Amino acid sequence: MSLALIVLLPFLGAILPALMIRSSRGACAIAAGSVNTLALALLLTNVPAVMRGEVVRADWPWLSAVGLDVQFFVDGLGLLFAGMILGIGLLVVIYARFYLAAGDAMGNFYTYLLLFQAAMVGVVLSNNLLLLLIFWELTSLSSFLLIGFWGHTAAGRQGARMALAVTGGGGLALIGGVMLLGEVAGTYELLGSAGSGLLGSGDAVRESAMYPWIVGLVLLGCFTKSAQFPFHFWLPRAMAAPTPVSAYLHSATMVKAGVFLMARLWPVLSGTDVWFYSVATVGAVTMAIGAVIALFQDDLKGLLAYSTVSHLGLMTMLLGFSTPAAVVACMVHVISHAAFKAALFLNAGIIDHETGTRDLRRLGGLAGLMPVTATMGIVAAASMAGFPPLGGFLSKEMMLEEVSHTSWGGSDQVLGWWVTIASLFSVAYSVRYAAHVFGGRRRDDYPRHPHDPGAGLWLPPTVLVVLVIVSGLFPETFVGGIVRAASGAVLQVAPPEFHLSLWHGWTPAVTMSTIAIAAGVAAVLIHRWLGVAWEATPVPDAKVLFDGTVGAATRGARWLTVGLHNGSLRRYLFLLIGAALVVAAFGFWGQRYESGNRPLLSVGPVLLVGWGLLLASCVIVVLKHRERLVALIVVNVIGLICSLAFIFLSAPDLALTQISVEVVTLILMLLALYFLPKTSVADRGPVSRGLHGVLATAAGLAAGGVTWATMTRDFESLSEYYWREAYAGSGGTNVVNVILVDFRGFDTFGEIMVLGIAALVIFALLDAMSRGPLAARLAAWSPEGGMSPGRHPLVMVVVTRVMLPLALMVSAFIFLRGHNLPGGGFIAALIVAIALIMQYMASGFGWAERQVRFDYHALIGGGALIAAATGVSAMVLGMPFLTSGYHHFHWPVVGDFELSSTIAFDLGVFLTVVGGVMLALAQLSRVGQQTNRELVNVEPMDVDPSADGSGDGKDMGQASVAGAGPNGEGH
């Protein structure tokens, strides 16, 4: 259970800063830090077991049919990365409290940070690749919020969009690779019981014909996330984020996710030439390119960003070598890089915060003015350069040692010289950071007077600098154990014997390191001349190429969209139905047709009459299509005839639902027609009408043929299962209702969510419409499309007010009987909606709103929450989502009766449907009411405002239903 809490705590804790957005900055930081600390403490409780070589697991069934279960585990690799995420995250939480300005939304920042932290912890602790994918995409979304936190800046918005586009695109490729990997391995579980699972299927995966595709797709996801060439350009643009975000992204979280996944899948995918030349080559190229560009960056965060790109390339290259010793070196560098890179970013933030600039050309001489900051920055930069006796030196020497034993393309020297040159530039930009910021003479033109900040800013990077020092001086003591555990988790076998120390004698690695240090220092001394040469070198800008690609894609999409979408619904339907018919025809002709022999129901006179009326109604719709009111009424007549067919086929539930839906739809569409001209103005020639007629006939015949072919064949239906299990499994004799609220309750839950969202969208659109000027709403109308306030018949007012309590009683009756007899929450909701609509129609919107006080937004939300709570309650009791329970009771007066948990779900359906339907209809009524008032003020009409008998003559009333035009013509 603790593993789930480690992941869930940041998710749940993200709510606290959001709720405390109006609280003090310190309160938001304490809330976020407390959640972070608790999650870290829970993680640390697993350290003893992991260090003993054990794997701590926690599994819960979820969607087992598709291979997706909630499975978490902690091994050495997960412990290392989760520890970095939570540990450095806590330091960032503290640092951000003192770094962000008073005008920054502190609550929002910590909410985004905790969401991102939770997603990253989910990635590194997931034991199911499908679950890992979910968290992987959440990291892209939450990092988008963090990078774009300063959304008022163009750089922040562009950096966030670029990061989301690149990493999101790579995520799509990763999904394909994971699907193929799971298909080949036969499981998505990384570590199964008794050595089973995907991590033990390396031989089967490597021998599969899909192996190259799996490697390509998986690496595409990893390379984009970890900013490997040629996808490295998004990472420096993410520097538009606040410095605490940059420190977190670059040291322990998002950019390390790709490295983590390559390490996690290392036993499955490594060990082949495809893996070596793909991973090692890209890593080496990225290492060199990032280091060269970093040397010539004048912005502190830009320099550190490209240095991150270079070091990520180093880690990727080591994983590409496919040797156990290289994996050990990679794990050591993961730790050292996290420490010195987070310290350097926080150090750069202090410099920017206290001096007012990050421009290296405006800095220098800060060692005497900011001694604490200078000490931290110089030590961290020295570790990044690989100077002894710091942690960065240890990991760099281990990397060079592995390079010296690795050949590339048949040569033992190429890779060594390449990495030595890359290390040269790494030393150069690290020395430049220290020398050009803290060395040299003091300046007199700093934007602000430099001085060391308070402890809130310098304490977090100091903790990291201490780790940099002790991991170099005492590596075996402080990092040896976790390196062994992490390496063993990657290798899935015991790691090779090694002893971490600063000196192993004079080796080729020491020679390469000496050359790199000497040449790197020399490069800093001649940096000015090198900069002139760099500026003269025509280097392609990856950002310009990306922007050009996006622009070209946008122009192409616009051209295609404008060419296909001309605003004609008739054209869209013609192409859609025509394409469907062509595809169906090819499928039909490719198969041999055999007629079925299943007998059909006998056709009685009632069915013949209904069929004839249906056919006649369809003909009338075609002939009267331009008269919208007639077409609408006839369409509803068709629906009512269909309800008769349901009754004939012994489906009273469907008949009740159909009738209720037709009534509500008719009123809704009449209200919508109120804002439209009464006829269609477009005229179609005989050729167009003929083509549409042929297409409609063909589509009708095809649909009828498919229905005939299906119904005349013997097939096994689920109906028998539902008949057999309805009462036994849910305690209901109304099989249709049991299906809706139990067997397929998840479908119903999704449908009411869609209905609620649609109602909210309608509300938003009409709310915007009601706020616009009247002239804008009338501009698109035909001369015949006006409106007038109308009158309300007194008899309708009296009848509807008498009917309202009766309708509510009928609705309650229908609702309560639904589990055993025709009825249910959906039908009951439509009955209530119709009763309320009648009040609006008869008495005017203003009267009905005063008398029937409902917050329809609250109804939608309450219904959704009740339905969701019903499903979650089942999960809490250890059953699948929305599993129902029932029990029989006996009361002395009432007698025997049954209660089922599905009644709560049905109540959620009831409230959501009532809220959704009424929100849409009420908003239409409000718009019409306001428009009537505006029209009355603009152009006086001969209207008696009290003729309706309700005293509210300005409400839209009958005009809403009849849609009367200015000449009294009904729409």
Side-chain angles (χ1 to χ4, degrees), residues 449-527:
H449 177 65
H451 59 84
D452 278 323
L457 286 180
W458 63 256
L459 186 58
T462 299
V463 173
L464 295 165
V465 169
V466 170
L467 178 60
V468 165
I469 296 172
V470 298
S471 65
L473 293 176
F474 312 103
E476 191 64 35
T477 302
F478 283 94
V479 298
I482 187 62
V483 168
R484 285 183 175 83
S487 302
V490 174
L491 299 171
Q492 288 297 295
V493 294
E497 289 294 327
F498 63 87
H499 180 75
L500 298 179
S501 64
L502 290 174
W503 182 252
H504 291 281
W506 195 271
T507 63
V510 176
T511 302
M512 296 163 66
S513 181
T514 303
I515 295 173
I517 291 174
V521 173
V524 176
L525 297 176
I526 60 171
H527 179 268

Side-chain angles (χ1 to χ4, degrees), residues 593-730:
Y593 174 75
E594 295 181 2
S595 60
N597 54 8
R598 186 178 183 181
L600 299 178
L601 294 176
S602 60
V603 179
V606 175
L607 192 61
L608 288 175
V609 171
W611 180 82
L613 291 174
L614 184 63
L615 181 61
S617 300
C618 293
V619 172
I620 294 174
V621 170
V622 173
L623 296 177
K624 298 291 185 179
H625 170 67
R626 290 187 60 188
E627 299 183 18
R628 290 175 169 167
L629 181 61
V630 176
L632 176 61
I633 293 174
V634 175
V635 167
N636 277 264
V637 170
I638 295 172
L640 295 176
I641 295 172
C642 290
S643 67
L644 295 176
F646 291 142
I647 294 175
F648 177 80
L649 296 172
S650 301
D653 278 84
L654 298 180
L656 281 173
T657 304
Q658 182 74 30
I659 293 172
S660 304
V661 169
E662 291 298 335
V663 174
V664 173
T665 304
L666 176 62
I667 298 173
L668 175 63
M669 295 307 297
L670 284 173
L671 286 170
L673 289 181
Y674 179 64
F675 303 98
L676 298 172
K678 68 178 182 179
T679 60
S680 301
V681 296
D683 191 16
R684 289 174 289 171
V687 176
S688 177
R689 292 175 65 88
L691 286 175
H692 285 82
V694 170
L695 183 65
T697 303
L701 292 174
V706 170
T707 304
W708 176 272
T710 302
M711 300 304 294
T712 56
R713 283 172 167 76
D714 289 324
F715 57 89
E716 185 177 351
S717 173
L718 284 175
S719 59
E720 294 296 331
Y721 170 80
Y722 291 140
W723 278 109
R724 185 175 63 252
E725 298 293 333
Y727 187 79
S730 188

Side-chain angles (χ1 to χ4, degrees), residues 146-441:
L146 282 173
I147 296 170
F149 178 71
W150 284 335
H152 59 279
T153 65
R157 296 191 300 271
Q158 186 185 46
R161 289 195 302 268
M162 184 179 293
L164 182 62
V166 176
T167 61
L172 294 176
L174 180 62
I175 292 174
V178 167
M179 294 295 105
L180 292 177
L181 185 57
E183 185 69 21
V184 172
T187 180
Y188 294 104
E189 187 179 6
L190 286 167
L191 192 64
S193 58
S196 63
L198 196 145
L199 295 182
S201 306
D203 292 337
V205 173
R206 286 185 289 268
E207 293 171 1
S208 169
M210 302 304 298
Y211 173 74
W213 290 98
I214 294 172
V215 170
L217 292 172
V218 169
L219 290 182
L220 192 57
C222 296
F223 288 168
T224 52
K225 188 74 85 174
S226 288
Q228 296 300 287
F229 178 84
F231 308 107
H232 61 285
F233 55 86
W234 73 264
L235 187 56
R237 297 317 184 278
M239 292 303 95
T243 295
V245 174
S246 302
Y248 202 32
L249 289 177
H250 285 244
S251 62
T253 55
M254 184 166 172
V255 296
K256 290 278 181 67
V259 173
F260 166 81
L261 188 56
M262 284 187 283
R264 179 60 81 196
L265 297 179
W266 190 90
V268 183
L269 302 179
S270 67
T272 65
D273 288 343
V274 172
W275 175 265
F276 173 78
Y277 285 106
S278 299
V279 180
T281 303
V282 169
V285 170
T286 304
M287 178 184 177
I289 289 178
V292 172
I293 298 177
L295 178 60
F296 301 103
Q297 295 296 304
D298 293 320
D299 179 77
L300 280 181
K301 287 178 67 175
L303 183 153
L304 295 177
Y306 279 105
S307 75
T308 300
V309 171
S310 178
H311 283 273
L312 291 171
L314 185 158
M315 299 175 215
T316 300
M317 178 186 68
L318 286 173
L319 291 175
F321 287 168
S322 298
T323 61
V327 169
V328 173
C330 180
M331 295 301 105
V332 174
H333 196 70
V334 165
I335 298 173
S336 63
H337 175 264
F340 68 66
K341 187 53 60 71
L344 282 169
F345 265 107
L346 298 180
N347 184 260
I350 292 174
I351 294 168
D352 185 22
H353 193 271
E354 301 302 326
T355 67
T357 182
R358 300 196 312 254
D359 193 338
L360 278 162
R361 294 167 297 186
R362 302 188 62 185
L363 295 171
L366 295 181
L369 297 171
M370 306 174 67
V372 176
T373 304
T375 301
M376 292 186 298
I378 292 172
V379 173
S383 182
M384 182 167 64
F387 288 170
L390 304 173
F393 171 78
L394 178 67
S395 60
K396 186 191 72 171
E397 295 302 299
M398 296 179 71
M399 177 271 296
L400 292 175
E401 183 67 24
E402 291 308 306
V403 168
S404 66
H405 298 303
T406 304
S407 63
W408 189 92
S411 172
D412 295 333
Q413 303 295 325
V414 172
L415 192 61
W417 281 108
W418 179 272
V419 172
T420 301
I421 294 173
S423 300
L424 177 163
F425 283 97
S426 179
V427 171
Y429 66 65
S430 302
V431 172
R432 187 188 177 212
Y433 181 96
H436 288 191
V437 174
F438 304 111
R441 62 177 180 84

Side-chain angles (χ1 to χ4, degrees), residues 28-178:
C28 292
I30 291 173
S34 300
V35 171
N36 194 326
T37 303
L38 182 56
L40 180 59
L42 288 174
L43 178 70
L44 294 179
T45 60
N46 297 285
V47 171
V50 174
M51 290 304 179
R52 291 194 301 267
E54 300 175 11
V55 176
V56 182
R57 301 183 48 147
D59 298 349
W60 292 272
W62 187 19
L63 302 175
S64 303
V66 297
L68 176 55
D69 290 322
V70 178
Q71 298 174 309
F72 297 113
F73 77 127
V74 176
D75 60 358
L77 184 65
L79 180 65
L80 170 60
F81 275 85
M84 291 192 306
I85 293 165
L86 295 172
I88 295 180
L90 181 58
L91 298 177
V92 168
V93 167
I94 298 171
Y95 181 91
R97 158 63 183 85
F98 301 94
Y99 178 86
L100 294 178
D104 291 325
M106 189 71 76
N108 289 349
F109 177 84
Y110 283 124
T111 294
Y112 301 158
L113 187 71
L114 289 177
L115 287 174
F116 176 68
Q117 183 180 96
M120 278 301 309
V121 173
V123 167
V124 301
L125 296 186
S126 292
N127 190 29
N128 186 292
L129 272 184
L130 297 180
L131 185 65
L132 186 149
L133 281 179
I134 296 174
F135 289 117
W136 184 278
E137 295 304 318
L138 286 176
T139 61
S140 296
L141 295 174
S142 52
S143 65
F144 170 81
L145 297 174
L146 282 173
I147 296 170
F149 178 71
W150 284 335
H152 59 279
T153 65
R157 296 191 300 271
Q158 186 185 46
R161 289 195 302 268
M162 184 179 293
L164 182 62
V166 176
T167 61
L172 294 176
L174 180 62
I175 292 174
V178 167

Side-chain angles (χ1 to χ4, degrees), residues 854-875:
F854 283 128
D855 183 351
Y856 300 123
H857 295 83
L859 283 181
I860 295 173
L865 289 176
I866 290 174
T870 307
V872 173
S873 299
M875 295 183 68

